[in-house]
Amino acid sequence: MTLFWGIIAGLLAGFLMQRSRVIRYDKQVGAMRLADMTIIKFMLTAAITASVGIYMLHDLGVVKLSVKPTLLGANIIGGLIFGIGWGIVGYCPGTAVGALGEGRWDAVWGLIGMVFGAGVFAAVYPSIKKSVLKWGDFGKITIPDVLCFNHWLLIAVLLVLYLMLFRWLENKNL
Amino acid sequence: MKEKPWKTMSPYKGGFLMGVVLILSVWIAGKFFGASTTFARKAGMVMNWFSPEKVSSMAYFVKYEPKIDWQWMFLLGMLIGSFIAAMVSGSFKLQALPDMWEKRFGRSVAKRAVISFFGGAIALFGARLAGGCPTGHGLSGMTQLSVSGLISLVFFFIGGIVTARLLYGGGKGK
C-alpha cells in the first residue's frame, strides 16, 4: 500500500513540476546564474505551505516528523560537492527524472552518472563514516530547537520573509 | 510544438499545490519526499547483477538495501506524471540539448553526454555525503524547519552559483 501511495504522490508531483517548468535545465541553471528564480519560488512556496499543514498535524499528534541529522562537515562539504555537480549537469536527482518524462533525454546521461556516483559513495562510505560523517554531529535538530522559540513564530517570520523576497523578485523580473 | 501559455502554471500555484501533495503524503503514507536515496539503492541493484556477494558485504548497501521502496515508486510516478503533463499541455519535446547549453557549448551531443555523466556522478556523491538532495534536504528539510536542510540548501546553491559562473561567465544572459 505504501508503494501505491508513492506512485500517486510521484504522479502529482511530476505533473505539478512539469507544468511549473521547474524541471528544465534552463530553469535550474537560470537560478544558479541568478537570472530566473522560478525554482526558488516553487520550492519556498511548497515548503511554507507544507510547513503549515504538517506542523498543524504534528501538533495534533497525527503525523511524525522525519528530520535528517545535522552533520556540519557532511552537510557543508557534501552540499558544496552536490552544488558543483548540479551546476554541471543542470538537473538535481528528482528533476532529472522529470526532465526525462517531458522528453529532455539528455537527462539520461546525468541519471547514469548519478547511479555511478552513488556507487562510488557506497565504496568509500566505510572510510568516510569514521571521519567526515562524524564532524560536527548535532543530531536531528530543527531551527526552532536551536533558537528556542515556537515553530509557529518561525513559520510566520519565514512567511513574511518569503513574501518580501517574492515581491522583490517580481519587481526585478527574475 | 509551441507551449500553450494558458496551460503553464505559475510557480506559486504549482508550489502551493506541491505543498498540499506533500502534506497529504505525510498524512496518508507517513512519507516525506526525497530522491537521492533511490540512486544509492539503484547502484546496489546494478552491482547486484555482477557481484551479489560483494554488494551484501558493503556497509552502505546493508544500510540502504537495494530494493524497490516508496521513494523508487515516487520517482517512477514523477516520470509518468511529467510525461502526462507534457503531453496534455503540448510541451513534450524530444530534445538532446537544453537551449541554454546549446547556445554556450554548441551542438555536440557527445560533449553533453560526457559532461552530464560526470556532473551527475559528482552531484550524487555530494548528495549522499550531505544526506540528501534539493528534494530531501531542500523541500522536505525546509518544510520541517530542519537545520540540516537549511545548511545543505545554502551550500547546494553556493556550489551551483560558483559552477554556473565558471561555466557561463558573469553575464545574466536570459
Side-chain angles (χ1 to χ4, degrees):
Chain A
M1 202 58 197
T2 319
L3 291 182
F4 169 76
W5 289 118
I7 201 161
I8 297 296
L11 276 169
L12 295 168
F15 189 92
L16 294 170
M17 288 167 79
Q18 199 280 337
R19 291 294 62 229
S20 309
R21 294 171 295 176
V22 293
I23 52 185
R24 307 263 162 93
Y25 173 96
D26 290 16
K27 295 287 180 191
Q28 309 244 330
V29 177
M32 295 178 223
R33 295 176 72 190
L34 309 175
D36 181 340
M37 293 297 160
T38 308
I39 66 169
I40 304 286
K41 297 171 193 171
F42 182 89
M43 181 185 264
L44 294 182
T45 308
I48 197 77
T49 306
S51 287
V52 172
I54 288 168
Y55 268 103
M56 208 178 273
L57 293 169
H58 182 253
D59 288 355
L60 292 169
V62 182
V63 302
K64 281 198 195 91
L65 297 184
S66 165
V67 177
K68 291 177 191 277
T70 294
L71 308 161
L72 282 185
N75 293 153
I76 293 173
I77 300 169
L80 281 175
I81 295 175
F82 175 85
I84 294 168
W86 185 26
I88 296 172
V89 67
Y91 298 114
C92 63
T95 50
V97 173
L100 183 60
E102 63 165 358
R104 275 66 176 179
W105 62 272
D106 65 307
V108 168
W109 316 118
L111 286 166
I112 298 169
M114 287 175 190
V115 174
F116 180 79
V120 172
F121 184 79
V124 302
Y125 175 70
S127 53
I128 290 179
K129 200 175 154 190
K130 296 183 207 101
S131 56
V132 185
L133 288 173
K134 289 222 154 114
W135 299 345
D137 183 350
F138 288 88
K140 299 180 175 181
I141 50 171
T142 64
I143 303 167
D145 293 339
V146 175
L147 301 179
C148 292
F149 62 59
N150 185 281
H151 45 273
W152 288 108
L153 180 61
L154 180 64
I155 291 171
V157 170
L158 285 178
L159 182 63
V160 173
L161 286 177
Y162 291 173
L163 288 174
M164 281 162 55
L165 173 70
F166 294 156
R167 203 187 144 102
W168 184 76
L169 291 176
E170 295 306 327
N171 281 338
K172 292 264 172 190
N173 205 15
L174 285 170
Chain B
M1 231 183 310
K2 184 89 181 83
E3 191 155 9
K4 297 170 189 128
W6 66 90
K7 281 192 175 166
T8 65
M9 199 180 267
S10 117
Y12 302 118
K13 186 177 165 196
F16 172 78
L17 293 172
M18 182 81 168
V20 172
V21 175
L22 177 54
I23 296 168
L24 291 174
S25 173
V26 172
W27 196 355
I28 298 169
K31 294 288 180 187
F32 281 89
F33 296 167
S36 70
T37 313
T38 297
F39 289 81
R41 294 190 202 276
K42 199 77 216 168
M45 287 183 209
V46 173
M47 287 164 78
N48 255 337
W49 300 339
F50 303 102
S51 167
E53 312 82 44
K54 173 106 178 80
V55 171
S56 53
S57 73
M58 287 171 76
Y60 203 64
F61 295 128
V62 173
K63 193 172 172 195
Y64 297 106
E65 214 183 306
K67 60 168 189 199
I68 290 173
D69 65 343
W70 180 90
Q71 196 187 89
W72 198 96
M73 296 301 281
F74 175 69
L75 289 182
L76 176 65
M78 195 179 279
L79 180 74
I80 302 168
S82 166
F83 175 73
I84 294 171
M87 290 313 268
V88 299
S89 64
S91 55
F92 184 88
K93 189 162 102 179
L94 281 174
Q95 200 176 346
L97 296 167
D99 300 334
M100 193 189 277
W101 171 280
E102 195 178 324
K103 233 194 257 169
R104 176 80 176 87
F105 299 106
R107 310 186 70 166
S108 164
V109 173
K111 187 172 171 186
R112 171 74 180 143
V114 171
I115 293 176
S116 292
F117 175 86
F118 286 105
I122 295 166
L124 235 293
F125 185 92
R128 291 328 299 158
L129 178 56
C133 60
T135 311
H137 263 320
L139 177 57
S140 298
M142 285 304 288
T143 292
Q144 298 178 77
L145 312 172
S146 81
V147 175
S148 55
L150 178 66
I151 293 174
S152 303
L153 190 61
V154 167
F155 284 93
F156 292 162
F157 271 98
I158 293 176
I161 288 168
V162 170
T163 306
R165 211 179 165 83
L166 290 173
L167 291 177
Y168 284 91
K172 284 201 171 177
K174 278 194 192 180

mmCIF file of all heavy atoms in Angstrom, chain B residues 69-90:
data_model
loop_
_atom_site.group_PDB
_atom_site.id
_atom_site.type_symbol
_atom_site.label_atom_id
_atom_site.label_comp_id
_atom_site.label_asym_id
_atom_site.label_seq_id
_atom_site.Cartn_x
_atom_site.Cartn_y
_atom_site.Cartn_z
ATOM 1 N N ASP B 69 11.372 0.612 -3.137
ATOM 2 C CA ASP B 69 10.632 1.077 -1.957
ATOM 3 C C ASP B 69 9.728 2.245 -2.349
ATOM 4 O O ASP B 69 9.546 2.533 -3.533
ATOM 5 C CB ASP B 69 11.622 1.492 -0.848
ATOM 6 C CG ASP B 69 12.456 2.694 -1.273
ATOM 7 O OD1 ASP B 69 12.498 2.993 -2.486
ATOM 8 O OD2 ASP B 69 13.055 3.347 -0.400
ATOM 9 N N TRP B 70 9.190 2.906 -1.344
ATOM 10 C CA TRP B 70 8.279 4.027 -1.579
ATOM 11 C C TRP B 70 8.907 5.063 -2.503
ATOM 12 O O TRP B 70 8.289 5.529 -3.456
ATOM 13 C CB TRP B 70 7.903 4.677 -0.232
ATOM 14 C CG TRP B 70 6.963 5.826 -0.390
ATOM 15 C CD1 TRP B 70 5.601 5.764 -0.385
ATOM 16 C CD2 TRP B 70 7.306 7.191 -0.643
ATOM 17 N NE1 TRP B 70 5.086 7.014 -0.621
ATOM 18 C CE2 TRP B 70 6.094 7.901 -0.780
ATOM 19 C CE3 TRP B 70 8.507 7.877 -0.776
ATOM 20 C CZ2 TRP B 70 6.051 9.273 -1.029
ATOM 21 C CZ3 TRP B 70 8.476 9.247 -1.034
ATOM 22 C CH2 TRP B 70 7.259 9.928 -1.159
ATOM 23 N N GLN B 71 10.145 5.452 -2.186
ATOM 24 C CA GLN B 71 10.776 6.541 -2.940
ATOM 25 C C GLN B 71 11.043 6.162 -4.404
ATOM 26 O O GLN B 71 10.951 6.996 -5.297
ATOM 27 C CB GLN B 71 12.089 6.946 -2.256
ATOM 28 C CG GLN B 71 12.607 8.281 -2.715
ATOM 29 C CD GLN B 71 13.979 8.572 -2.141
ATOM 30 O OE1 GLN B 71 15.000 8.219 -2.708
ATOM 31 N NE2 GLN B 71 14.011 9.206 -0.986
ATOM 32 N N TRP B 72 11.341 4.895 -4.630
ATOM 33 C CA TRP B 72 11.532 4.403 -6.005
ATOM 34 C C TRP B 72 10.234 4.598 -6.793
ATOM 35 O O TRP B 72 10.233 5.071 -7.922
ATOM 36 C CB TRP B 72 11.909 2.918 -5.953
ATOM 37 C CG TRP B 72 12.528 2.382 -7.197
ATOM 38 C CD1 TRP B 72 13.857 2.255 -7.452
ATOM 39 C CD2 TRP B 72 11.847 1.878 -8.363
ATOM 40 N NE1 TRP B 72 14.038 1.719 -8.704
ATOM 41 C CE2 TRP B 72 12.845 1.479 -9.283
ATOM 42 C CE3 TRP B 72 10.500 1.735 -8.722
ATOM 43 C CZ2 TRP B 72 12.531 0.930 -10.529
ATOM 44 C CZ3 TRP B 72 10.197 1.201 -9.967
ATOM 45 C CH2 TRP B 72 11.195 0.802 -10.856
ATOM 46 N N MET B 73 9.118 4.241 -6.149
ATOM 47 C CA MET B 73 7.808 4.393 -6.782
ATOM 48 C C MET B 73 7.472 5.872 -6.983
ATOM 49 O O MET B 73 6.856 6.257 -7.980
ATOM 50 C CB MET B 73 6.714 3.733 -5.926
ATOM 51 C CG MET B 73 6.850 2.250 -5.765
ATOM 52 S SD MET B 73 6.820 1.347 -7.334
ATOM 53 C CE MET B 73 5.070 1.323 -7.669
ATOM 54 N N PHE B 74 7.914 6.688 -6.039
ATOM 55 C CA PHE B 74 7.691 8.140 -6.138
ATOM 56 C C PHE B 74 8.371 8.677 -7.403
ATOM 57 O O PHE B 74 7.771 9.438 -8.172
ATOM 58 C CB PHE B 74 8.254 8.819 -4.880
ATOM 59 C CG PHE B 74 8.194 10.326 -4.898
ATOM 60 C CD1 PHE B 74 6.979 10.988 -4.827
ATOM 61 C CD2 PHE B 74 9.358 11.080 -4.971
ATOM 62 C CE1 PHE B 74 6.913 12.382 -4.828
ATOM 63 C CE2 PHE B 74 9.314 12.471 -4.978
ATOM 64 C CZ PHE B 74 8.087 13.120 -4.906
ATOM 65 N N LEU B 75 9.599 8.236 -7.643
ATOM 66 C CA LEU B 75 10.325 8.712 -8.833
ATOM 67 C C LEU B 75 9.708 8.157 -10.114
ATOM 68 O O LEU B 75 9.646 8.846 -11.128
ATOM 69 C CB LEU B 75 11.817 8.357 -8.734
ATOM 70 C CG LEU B 75 12.590 9.173 -7.696
ATOM 71 C CD1 LEU B 75 14.062 8.785 -7.699
ATOM 72 C CD2 LEU B 75 12.469 10.671 -7.943
ATOM 73 N N LEU B 76 9.243 6.920 -10.067
ATOM 74 C CA LEU B 76 8.553 6.352 -11.238
ATOM 75 C C LEU B 76 7.306 7.183 -11.536
ATOM 76 O O LEU B 76 7.033 7.543 -12.686
ATOM 77 C CB LEU B 76 8.175 4.881 -10.970
ATOM 78 C CG LEU B 76 7.375 4.201 -12.079
ATOM 79 C CD1 LEU B 76 8.214 4.081 -13.357
ATOM 80 C CD2 LEU B 76 6.899 2.815 -11.640
ATOM 81 N N GLY B 77 6.563 7.510 -10.470
ATOM 82 C CA GLY B 77 5.371 8.351 -10.627
ATOM 83 C C GLY B 77 5.729 9.702 -11.212
ATOM 84 O O GLY B 77 5.025 10.239 -12.078
ATOM 85 N N MET B 78 6.852 10.255 -10.771
ATOM 86 C CA MET B 78 7.270 11.566 -11.262
ATOM 87 C C MET B 78 7.560 11.515 -12.766
ATOM 88 O O MET B 78 7.200 12.426 -13.510
ATOM 89 C CB MET B 78 8.510 12.025 -10.493
ATOM 90 C CG MET B 78 8.784 13.492 -10.688
ATOM 91 S SD MET B 78 10.213 14.003 -9.773
ATOM 92 C CE MET B 78 9.563 14.215 -8.179
ATOM 93 N N LEU B 79 8.192 10.439 -13.186
ATOM 94 C CA LEU B 79 8.485 10.258 -14.614
ATOM 95 C C LEU B 79 7.184 10.244 -15.416
ATOM 96 O O LEU B 79 7.036 10.955 -16.414
ATOM 97 C CB LEU B 79 9.250 8.938 -14.804
ATOM 98 C CG LEU B 79 9.638 8.565 -16.227
ATOM 99 C CD1 LEU B 79 10.789 9.432 -16.709
ATOM 100 C CD2 LEU B 79 10.048 7.098 -16.297
ATOM 101 N N ILE B 80 6.214 9.467 -14.938
ATOM 102 C CA ILE B 80 4.944 9.339 -15.662
ATOM 103 C C ILE B 80 4.138 10.635 -15.554
ATOM 104 O O ILE B 80 3.561 11.109 -16.543
ATOM 105 C CB ILE B 80 4.124 8.143 -15.105
ATOM 106 C CG1 ILE B 80 4.946 6.852 -15.223
ATOM 107 C CG2 ILE B 80 2.803 7.998 -15.843
ATOM 108 C CD1 ILE B 80 4.364 5.673 -14.450
ATOM 109 N N GLY B 81 4.121 11.238 -14.363
ATOM 110 C CA GLY B 81 3.372 12.475 -14.158
ATOM 111 C C GLY B 81 3.885 13.596 -15.054
ATOM 112 O O GLY B 81 3.104 14.353 -15.644
ATOM 113 N N SER B 82 5.188 13.684 -15.173
ATOM 114 C CA SER B 82 5.788 14.705 -16.024
ATOM 115 C C SER B 82 5.440 14.432 -17.491
ATOM 116 O O SER B 82 5.132 15.362 -18.247
ATOM 117 C CB SER B 82 7.306 14.693 -15.815
ATOM 118 O OG SER B 82 7.955 15.409 -16.821
ATOM 119 N N PHE B 83 5.468 13.164 -17.861
ATOM 120 C CA PHE B 83 5.122 12.785 -19.235
ATOM 121 C C PHE B 83 3.672 13.167 -19.551
ATOM 122 O O PHE B 83 3.384 13.796 -20.583
ATOM 123 C CB PHE B 83 5.334 11.280 -19.423
ATOM 124 C CG PHE B 83 4.893 10.767 -20.764
ATOM 125 C CD1 PHE B 83 5.629 11.048 -21.911
ATOM 126 C CD2 PHE B 83 3.730 10.014 -20.884
ATOM 127 C CE1 PHE B 83 5.218 10.591 -23.157
ATOM 128 C CE2 PHE B 83 3.321 9.550 -22.125
ATOM 129 C CZ PHE B 83 4.054 9.831 -23.257
ATOM 130 N N ILE B 84 2.760 12.843 -18.645
ATOM 131 C CA ILE B 84 1.334 13.155 -18.860
ATOM 132 C C ILE B 84 1.139 14.672 -18.976
ATOM 133 O O ILE B 84 0.488 15.159 -19.902
ATOM 134 C CB ILE B 84 0.462 12.595 -17.704
ATOM 135 C CG1 ILE B 84 0.494 11.062 -17.714
ATOM 136 C CG2 ILE B 84 -0.983 13.095 -17.819
ATOM 137 C CD1 ILE B 84 -0.156 10.421 -16.496
ATOM 138 N N ALA B 85 1.752 15.411 -18.045
ATOM 139 C CA ALA B 85 1.606 16.868 -18.063
ATOM 140 C C ALA B 85 2.151 17.452 -19.364
ATOM 141 O O ALA B 85 1.564 18.367 -19.944
ATOM 142 C CB ALA B 85 2.341 17.474 -16.863
ATOM 143 N N ALA B 86 3.288 16.914 -19.817
ATOM 144 C CA ALA B 86 3.896 17.426 -21.044
ATOM 145 C C ALA B 86 3.012 17.115 -22.255
ATOM 146 O O ALA B 86 2.857 17.939 -23.158
ATOM 147 C CB ALA B 86 5.287 16.819 -21.230
ATOM 148 N N MET B 87 2.388 15.931 -22.267
ATOM 149 C CA MET B 87 1.529 15.549 -23.382
ATOM 150 C C MET B 87 0.258 16.392 -23.425
ATOM 151 O O MET B 87 -0.108 16.916 -24.474
ATOM 152 C CB MET B 87 1.154 14.052 -23.302
ATOM 153 C CG MET B 87 2.287 13.093 -23.577
ATOM 154 S SD MET B 87 3.288 13.458 -25.031
ATOM 155 C CE MET B 87 2.467 12.506 -26.274
ATOM 156 N N VAL B 88 -0.414 16.537 -22.280
ATOM 157 C CA VAL B 88 -1.687 17.264 -22.301
ATOM 158 C C VAL B 88 -1.483 18.752 -22.584
ATOM 159 O O VAL B 88 -2.379 19.416 -23.097
ATOM 160 C CB VAL B 88 -2.532 17.092 -21.008
ATOM 161 C CG1 VAL B 88 -2.914 15.642 -20.783
ATOM 162 C CG2 VAL B 88 -1.819 17.652 -19.785
ATOM 163 N N SER B 89 -0.309 19.276 -22.289
ATOM 164 C CA SER B 89 -0.089 20.704 -22.500
ATOM 165 C C SER B 89 0.636 20.984 -23.811
ATOM 166 O O SER B 89 0.891 22.135 -24.144
ATOM 167 C CB SER B 89 0.722 21.282 -21.346
ATOM 168 O OG SER B 89 1.999 20.699 -21.326
ATOM 169 N N GLY B 90 0.970 19.932 -24.533
ATOM 170 C CA GLY B 90 1.679 20.118 -25.792
ATOM 171 C C GLY B 90 3.102 20.588 -25.620
ATOM 172 O O GLY B 90 3.679 21.189 -26.523
#
